[in-house]
Amino acid sequence: MTARSAAVLVVSTRAAAGHYADRTGPVIRDWLTARGFAAITLSVVPDAEVHEALRQALAGAPELLLTTGGTGVSPDDRTPEATKPLLDAELPGLAEELRRRGAAVAPTSLLSRGLAGVAGRTVVMNLPGSPGGVRDGLGVLGEVIDHLLDQLAGHDHSE
């Protein structure tokens, strides 16, 4: 069995410029490693470059592509707009559940416009740009990721 692969895009103009350290990418990388993802690429990109960064990440055909940041309503937040045209199928339940769980702790979670879906054989999910929001999103994803990846790989899941 080959190692699972994942790409992580941290979408933050300030972190990309070195104004502060990224605090979400390491949380995602640790979560992925704990779940057996051995081939993990992590990139920090400015908001303005999210379109191209998503295309490049998908070109590598990872099984999972997670983004963090750029899902709010500020003028620079472009992650959902960059993600949507790349998806072959949306998985709205994942994004809805993330917002629902987050709102129980922070009502502002309802402002997230993040998407989830499938691009080719890659699961794509936009996570918020905060460590707490990332943990919430990974909690949601963790409940279904094995089944979802098995389905995309064409494995029988009749049991």
Side-chain angles (χ1 to χ4, degrees):
M1 183 170 142
T2 60
R4 286 184 166 171
S5 62
V8 179
L9 292 179
V10 177
V11 183
S12 170
T13 300
R14 291 177 289 175
H19 295 300
Y20 64 75
D22 163 42
R23 299 180 320 155
T24 57
V27 172
I28 298 169
R29 184 179 41 234
D30 291 348
W31 184 87
L32 290 166
T33 300
R35 277 151 191 80
F37 286 83
I40 302 167
T41 60
L42 191 146
S43 305
V44 180
V45 300
D47 291 86
E49 295 177 17
V50 67
H51 288 85
E52 185 57 30
L54 281 164
R55 283 189 195 92
Q56 287 179 3
L58 285 171
E63 291 170 89
L64 180 61
L65 170 55
L66 298 174
T67 69
T68 172
T71 63
V73 295
S74 79
D76 291 342
D77 290 336
R78 302 175 182 154
T79 303
E81 289 79 11
T83 302
K84 188 169 182 124
L86 302 175
L87 298 178
D88 298 315
E90 287 191 48
L91 299 169
L94 289 175
E96 291 165 5
E97 181 64 5
L98 169 56
R99 284 186 279 274
R100 188 189 68 77
R101 288 188 193 182
V105 178
T108 54
S109 297
L110 294 174
L111 302 177
S112 175
R113 301 175 305 111
L115 301 174
V118 177
R121 291 193 175 228
T122 300
V123 174
V124 180
M125 187 167 179
N126 302 146
L127 301 174
S130 69
V134 163
R135 285 185 195 92
D136 289 344
L138 295 174
V140 170
L141 187 59
E143 295 172 10
V144 298
I145 190 63
D146 291 331
H147 182 76
L148 181 53
L149 291 175
D150 282 348
Q151 279 189 305
L152 283 176
H155 297 142
D156 182 14
H157 59 276
S158 58
E159 295 183 24

